[in-house]
Amino acid sequence: MNKLQSVGLKSGAAALRHTVWAAAVALAGAVALAPAAQAQTPPSAGVDQARPVKLALIESLSGPFANTGEAVYRNIYWAMERVNARGGVQLPASSGGPRPLVLERYDSKGQNEEALSALRAAIDDGAQVILQGNSSSTAAVLIEAINKHNEREPNKRVLFLNYSAVDPILTNEKCSFWHFRFDAHADMRMAALMEVMREDKALKSVYLIGQDYSFGQAVLREAKKQLAAQRPDVAVVGEELHPIGRVKDFAPYAVKIKTSGAQAVVTGNWGNDLTLLVKAARDVGYEGSFYTFYGNALGAPAAIGDAGIGKVVAVADWLPNVPGAQSEAFYQSFRTRFPKPQDDYVHMRMQLMVEALAQSIERAGSTDVVAVARQMESANVQLAGQGGTMRAADHQFQQALAVGVMDKKGAPGVKFDVEGSGYGFRVVRQIAAAKAQQPHSCQMQRY
């Protein structure tokens, strides 16, 4: 079975246990969602009539990228807890009244065919919203499958909310009325990194390395394009694509990087493919910088250690050390909810995504997928001093971006470290949403 128990959340060896009934109880205002250690909560009188809005997470929950899937689950579940704690999505009595959000898990095992099987199972189980993001190739096949399904079965249509699949093609040539992306795509992220690289006048040579699939290819392609336009004085001294999730020993790649003489590495690698790469670079004595999309967590800072201070750069929609009391309170509340160091990876965009869904359902006044999608096209959400708007033309969320540089916890601007590593990221650039946006080529069929 590719479906995992909808109420189970792995956190290391332990499992957090939540239930649909806990969400329903929160909806009724009796109690908040059950804390991790609490036993299953029975339904309260009258609450069992509230039909939940089912969300299905299709992600790698086993295998080499299981840690990334579990990080996503923690974020989305936490966002849903917040919605349910305030009474769920508020619908009129004619549409069933207030409804809780419920999340079910489906393990794609990092395989597209498994993801398609999970999609069919999720739809059969009554899911109305599909969540996925940790692979652009998987996102592409899901978009195609959802397009076909929604045409064939208009009474069982589903929405696809994408939180991390950032191949630009997904909101350009492959854009779909049913698909909404809440992460900045690869070209947007690369432009943000270039803001910092442009000012690094000592930088004269870079090595490009990425995972050999659509996203990794897009990163390298855009890196070359933007370097040529903005830093023509910087030479690309090496370019490499490697199998995704299969390389156990990155030493040969690290040796090539060091031998090339590159002063910096540019990579979109994520998960273990990034952690193992930076570990190998440290082990062979590489002393250059890393310009990364995801170097701010999942073991990467601890892996590189002091060698990364001032040299590892990461771009994100938000970072824990973004200045401001609201941002700080937001991060501390997540750490209170998930106190284990290995669980420390919070994504603002996933919180905004769930808020946008709740807002769109309420504005639609129903859970009809077409009506919700039409409202999602104009979603405008704010949380903890951050926010963003959906661009209707291509369904690409527009939000500010932050670029951070690794430093020791306690250094100026580094109040928080990541994963108990002792290292955090000092924000060196904040790019407004209006500046972060990129043009699109989407020609969307609307409903």
Side-chain angles (χ1 to χ4, degrees):
M1 292 289 290
N2 60 15
K3 178 181 177 182
L4 295 187
Q5 184 69 14
S6 66
V7 297
L9 166 60
K10 290 184 180 178
S11 176
L16 300 179
R17 290 291 173 184
H18 299 272
T19 70
V20 169
W21 292 122
V25 170
L27 174 61
V31 296
L33 276 173
Q38 186 172 319
Q40 293 187 359
T41 306
S44 295
V47 176
D48 58 339
Q49 300 304 311
R51 288 189 300 116
V53 179
K54 289 188 177 183
L55 284 66
L57 175 66
I58 298 176
E59 203 49 86
S60 293
L61 299 168
S62 61
F65 296 120
N67 61 338
T68 66
E70 294 295 346
V72 168
Y73 184 70
R74 283 190 294 275
N75 274 267
I76 294 174
Y77 208 106
W78 188 53
M80 288 173 48
E81 284 183 322
R82 183 172 54 250
V83 173
N84 288 339
R86 64 179 185 244
V89 289
Q90 302 300 303
L91 291 174
S94 59
S95 295
R99 307 265 292 276
L101 301 178
V102 172
L103 184 61
E104 297 188 355
R105 297 155 51 100
Y106 299 79
D107 187 5
S108 70
K109 304 173 185 175
Q111 303 297 320
N112 289 348
E113 285 303 315
E114 291 283 351
L116 290 172
S117 177
L119 173 64
R120 291 189 292 271
I123 292 172
D124 288 344
D125 290 343
Q128 294 175 278
V129 181
I130 305 300
L131 309 171
Q132 185 271 336
N134 285 353
S135 166
S136 289
S137 63
T138 298
V141 300
L142 287 177
I143 288 172
E144 183 177 355
I146 288 170
N147 286 343
K148 291 177 180 177
H149 164 79
N150 285 357
E151 284 296 318
R152 289 193 305 262
E153 299 193 54
N155 292 327
K156 295 179 67 176
R157 285 170 170 160
V158 294
L159 286 184
F160 177 18
L161 306 188
N162 164 12
Y163 45 77
S164 292
V166 297
D167 186 342
I169 198 173
L170 301 178
T171 47
N172 286 297
E173 295 90 328
K174 290 186 180 292
C175 67
S176 166
F177 179 75
W178 313 112
H179 166 253
F180 294 85
R181 173 159 52 199
F182 285 83
D183 198 355
H185 64 58
D187 294 358
M188 298 166 74
R189 282 176 172 262
M190 185 59 70
L193 283 179
M194 204 62 61
E195 290 273 319
V196 177
M197 295 177 71
R198 193 164 51 237
E199 296 182 1
D200 186 358
K201 301 305 182 184
L203 181 64
K204 297 300 179 184
S205 59
V206 299
Y207 197 103
L208 310 181
I209 185 167
Q211 295 151 316
D212 193 8
Y213 75 115
S214 59
F215 161 66
Q217 295 159 10
V219 171
L220 266 61
R221 185 167 58 247
E222 188 64 16
K224 288 186 289 185
K225 177 183 174 183
Q226 292 199 30
L227 282 167
Q230 300 188 50
R231 288 297 307 269
D233 59 314
V234 174
V236 177
V237 296
E239 182 179 344
E240 189 106 38
L241 289 168
H242 62 80
I244 180 172
R246 298 181 193 172
V247 179
K248 306 301 181 187
D249 181 9
F250 274 87
Y253 297 97
V255 168
K256 282 196 215 177
I257 292 168
K258 183 179 179 182
T259 303
S260 75
Q263 294 170 292
V265 174
V266 178
T267 183
N269 275 23
W270 52 275
N272 278 345
D273 281 349
L274 177 62
T275 305
L276 294 175
L277 173 63
V278 297
K279 278 183 179 178
R282 180 198 62 188
D283 291 345
V284 302
Y286 177 67
E287 297 181 351
S289 300
F290 275 83
Y291 286 88
T292 76
F293 281 24
Y294 305 109
N296 51 308
L298 293 175
I304 202 166
D306 282 355
I309 294 174
K311 293 183 177 180
V312 175
V313 180
V315 58
D317 51 283
W318 171 89
L319 291 166
N321 290 306
V322 163
Q326 287 180 289
S327 177
E328 181 175 326
F330 165 80
Y331 176 66
Q332 289 181 321
S333 64
F334 180 84
R335 297 295 292 120
T336 298
R337 180 65 180 86
F338 298 105
K340 293 184 177 180
Q342 66 266 31
D343 292 345
D344 177 23
Y345 198 17
V346 57
H347 300 277
M348 176 63 74
R349 66 182 182 272
M350 296 181 192
Q351 311 306 310
L352 294 174
M353 177 182 73
V354 173
E355 291 293 333
L357 174 62
Q359 179 189 96
S360 300
I361 292 172
E362 291 176 350
R363 287 182 176 177
S366 79
T367 58
D368 175 76
V369 169
V370 174
V372 174
R374 287 173 179 164
Q375 293 300 322
M376 185 79 75
E377 288 193 309
S378 59
N380 186 334
V381 287
Q382 304 290 322
L383 181 68
Q386 309 298 307
T389 59
M390 184 59 65
R391 186 165 66 183
D394 59 347
H395 292 187
Q396 171 64 56
F397 196 60
Q398 304 297 320
Q399 62 195 312
L401 298 177
V403 181
V405 175
M406 185 171 150
D407 207 339
K408 279 190 173 181
K409 179 181 179 181
V414 190
K415 181 174 183 177
F416 302 114
D417 65 352
V418 293
E419 303 168 327
S421 65
Y423 304 97
F425 282 76
R426 181 179 70 257
V427 177
V428 295
R429 185 77 78 257
Q430 290 181 274
I431 298 122
K435 188 174 183 181
Q437 68 178 329
Q438 296 278 320
H440 69 89
S441 58
C442 172
Q443 298 291 327
M444 188 181 296
Q445 177 184 349
R446 293 193 135 70
Y447 292 81

